[in-house]
Amino acid sequence: MILILSSNTDPHGAEYQQLITHLAGLPEIQTRVHTEQGAEKTLTEIYLIGNTMALDIKDMQSLPCVERVVRVSEEYRILGRHKDDPRPAYFEYNGVRFGQDTLNVFAGLCAVDNAQHVELMLKALRDNGQVCTRMGAYKPRTSPYSFQGHGKNCLPYVFELAGKYGIKVIAMEITHESHLNEISAALHQTGHPTGVMLQIGTRNTQNFELLKIVGRQQEFPVLLKRGFGITLDESLNAAEYLASEGNRNVVFGLRGMKTNMGDPHRNFVDFAHVPVVKRLTRMPVCIDPSHSVGTRSAAPDGILDVMHATAQGVIAGANMILVDFHPAPTKALVDGPQALLLKELPYFLEDVRIAREAYLKRVALLNKI
Ligand code: PEP
Ligand code: MN
């Protein structure tokens, strides 16, 4: 059960103390307080854990400071979408809104290789009105002999160039807690020219200790990729780990499932789950058509499979697109064969706009009938 308190409740006030004392006296109930510092107001929620079935909603509603009471189901307590649940399905980070009602494109390099390619990529994004990107510095690779990413050495120039070209958010995978500290330090050292969305990759979806550490910080939002060989429920519970530790600014990423049933695609595209995740949780949903499809093959209509898959996700209501581009794919150190070309960026964005418009028209049509 969640008690949503009136905004700007004073944690030192008499009424709040009265509430806390009352809750402490409830048998078999533990409490966890979560505060969310917004631009204008502070929101406080108190999670009641334990035998909450014994509690009466009306009684709880009448307690001091309580504005609303939500009885949550056991699943995805914090990120879940529960009955009569007024909690928002969006968050803001570095001036960018991420919600179940928005769409942000994160086109960029799968892996940072050199400053020149980073700059060409970021300039193309700026020229096309984009404020987000993806830049891999820490790459989890199948073979220990493959390029592992430049790690912390590339962070200063990546962040400075991002600032130069007006990029506000960079999606960047981390595979170890030390990477979090390296990113924080590099942002600090460069004067915070940009923001970072930490990405937990599909190989780490159930790395619970990493999830707990990333969940304990609230500086960066998190993009959690769905695990490629586990159920949707297991991946959504992984997202809940982040929230249960305190960070609820989580985007859930679909990136295809590992099975040879998806051949000849790299993974089996699972974007039909976009509306499912939006129904079960309040997380914005990201699609990664590059790692799903994994090639530059085109259909007989001439449209690349990556673009078809993107459109399928967007027309189903996706909120974020993570997509690989590269200025010179044959020279890319990771995943060159699936990268789109910089000259394809305006076309890609227009194709996305068409699919988004079609999605919005579909929603309007339903609301009309
Ligand atoms: C990536 O986005 O670079 C990546 C490695 O994705 P995934 O974890 O989905 O394989
Ligand atoms: Mn990749």
Side-chain angles (χ1 to χ4, degrees), residues 110 134 139-140 173 199 201-203 225 255 288 291 322:
C110 176
R134 58 159 295 147
K139 298 305 300 178
E173 177 165 0
Q199 184 177 324
T202 194
R203 291 157 189 82
K225 294 277 198 91
R255 47 82 69 213
D288 178 343
H291 288 84
L322 194 71

Side-chain angles (χ1 to χ4, degrees), residues 293-336:
V293 170
T295 72
R296 282 185 53 87
S297 305
D301 56 20
I303 299 175
L304 297 179
D305 290 13
V306 171
M307 303 252 199
H308 273 302
T310 303
Q312 287 159 14
V314 173
I315 206 168
N319 308 112
M320 173 169 159
I321 305 168
L322 194 71
V323 57
D324 290 3
F325 275 73
H326 199 283
T330 54
K331 293 195 192 142
L333 297 178
V334 185
D335 285 347

Side-chain angles (χ1 to χ4, degrees), residues 21-35:
T21 309
H22 179 83
L23 296 178
L26 294 174
E28 293 174 62
I29 297 288
Q30 274 133 36
T31 57
R32 197 187 270 195
V33 180
H34 178 90
T35 52

Side-chain angles (χ1 to χ4, degrees), residues 43-75:
L43 289 175
T44 306
E45 293 170 2
I46 302 185
Y47 286 76
L48 305 184
I49 302 154
N51 184 21
T52 55
M53 286 320 275
L55 303 175
D56 182 71
I57 294 234
K58 281 215 179 76
D59 288 350
M60 303 311 285
Q61 205 119 39
S62 65
L63 293 172
C65 308
V66 174
E67 187 169 286
R68 194 156 182 162
V69 179
V70 180
R71 198 184 277 289
V72 299
S73 48
E74 279 303 299
E75 293 293 88

Side-chain angles (χ1 to χ4, degrees), residues 12 30 45 71 89 104-105 115 128 148 151 213 226 235 243 246 253 270 298 324 351 353 362:
H12 304 293
Q30 274 133 36
E45 293 170 2
R71 198 184 277 289
N104 296 296
V105 179
N128 284 280
Q148 305 282 309
I213 287 162
R226 176 183 194 173
S235 290
D270 55 349
D324 290 3
D351 200 43
R353 197 196 58 72
R362 293 174 62 218

Side-chain angles (χ1 to χ4, degrees), residues 246-263:
N247 192 338
R248 52 179 67 188
N249 293 349
V250 184
V251 178
F252 188 79
L254 299 172
R255 47 82 69 213
M257 303 304 290
K258 192 182 266 308
T259 157
N260 57 8
M261 302 301 162
D263 292 357

Side-chain angles (χ1 to χ4, degrees), residues 40-309:
E40 279 144 35
K41 51 186 183 179
T42 305
L43 289 175
T44 306
E45 293 170 2
I46 302 185
Y47 286 76
L48 305 184
I49 302 154
N51 184 21
T52 55
M53 286 320 275
L55 303 175
D56 182 71
I57 294 234
K58 281 215 179 76
D59 288 350
M60 303 311 285
Q61 205 119 39
S62 65
L63 293 172
C65 308
V66 174
E67 187 169 286
R68 194 156 182 162
V69 179
V70 180
R71 198 184 277 289
V72 299
S73 48
E74 279 303 299
E75 293 293 88
Y76 333 128
R77 287 182 195 176
I78 300 175
L79 294 174
R81 185 181 275 287
H82 307 291
K83 192 169 168 286
D84 299 327
D85 187 349
R87 296 173 302 159
Y90 67 87
F91 61 87
E92 299 246 339
Y93 172 65
N94 210 24
V96 183
R97 182 184 163 111
F98 295 90
Q100 289 196 334
D101 57 350
T102 58
L103 176 61
N104 296 296
V105 179
F106 281 63
L109 305 182
C110 176
V112 171
D113 41 21
N114 61 52
Q116 191 205 354
H117 288 156
V118 171
E119 180 149 23
L120 285 168
M121 184 72 236
L122 298 177
K123 183 173 180 311
L125 290 169
R126 195 263 325 259
D127 292 348
N128 284 280
Q130 298 302 299
V131 294
C132 299
T133 190
R134 58 159 295 147
M135 289 282 156
Y138 307 95
K139 298 305 300 178
R141 304 305 303 283
T142 303
S143 163
Y145 307 113
S146 302
F147 172 62
Q148 305 282 309
H150 286 311
K152 70 174 177 188
N153 295 336
C154 69
L155 300 182
Y157 71 75
V158 169
F159 294 161
E160 273 162 5
L161 286 168
K164 177 175 170 187
Y165 290 101
I167 298 296
K168 294 183 181 307
V169 190
I170 303 175
M172 183 174 278
E173 177 165 0
I174 63 166
T175 58
H176 189 267
E177 61 189 272
S178 59
H179 304 157
L180 178 58
N181 301 331
E182 289 172 6
I183 289 171
S184 265
L187 278 174
H188 185 69
Q189 183 201 325
T190 53
H192 292 270
T194 187
V196 170
M197 177 180 280
L198 300 173
Q199 184 177 324
I200 307 277
T202 194
R203 291 157 189 82
N204 276 312
T205 308
Q206 283 188 314
N207 183 341
F208 299 119
E209 298 310 315
L210 181 63
L211 294 175
K212 286 184 203 167
I213 287 162
V214 171
R216 267 175 226 143
Q217 61 78 40
Q218 291 188 31
E219 184 180 357
F220 306 109
V222 186
L223 166 62
L224 177 76
K225 294 277 198 91
R226 176 183 194 173
F228 55 30
I230 57 177
T231 63
L232 181 64
D233 173 61
E234 286 166 328
S235 290
L236 295 178
N237 269 299
E240 185 71 12
Y241 261 90
L242 295 162
S244 76
E245 295 291 335
N247 192 338
R248 52 179 67 188
N249 293 349
V250 184
V251 178
F252 188 79
L254 299 172
R255 47 82 69 213
M257 303 304 290
K258 192 182 266 308
T259 157
N260 57 8
M261 302 301 162
D263 292 357
H265 287 165
R266 184 173 171 182
N267 289 286
F268 203 175
V269 181
D270 55 349
F271 300 165
H273 276 168
V274 167
V276 179
V277 178
K278 288 172 83 171
R279 177 167 71 242
L280 294 175
T281 77
R282 296 174 297 112
M283 288 185 279
V285 181
C286 174
I287 52 165
D288 178 343
S290 301
H291 288 84
S292 299
V293 170
T295 72
R296 282 185 53 87
S297 305
D301 56 20
I303 299 175
L304 297 179
D305 290 13
V306 171
M307 303 252 199
H308 273 302

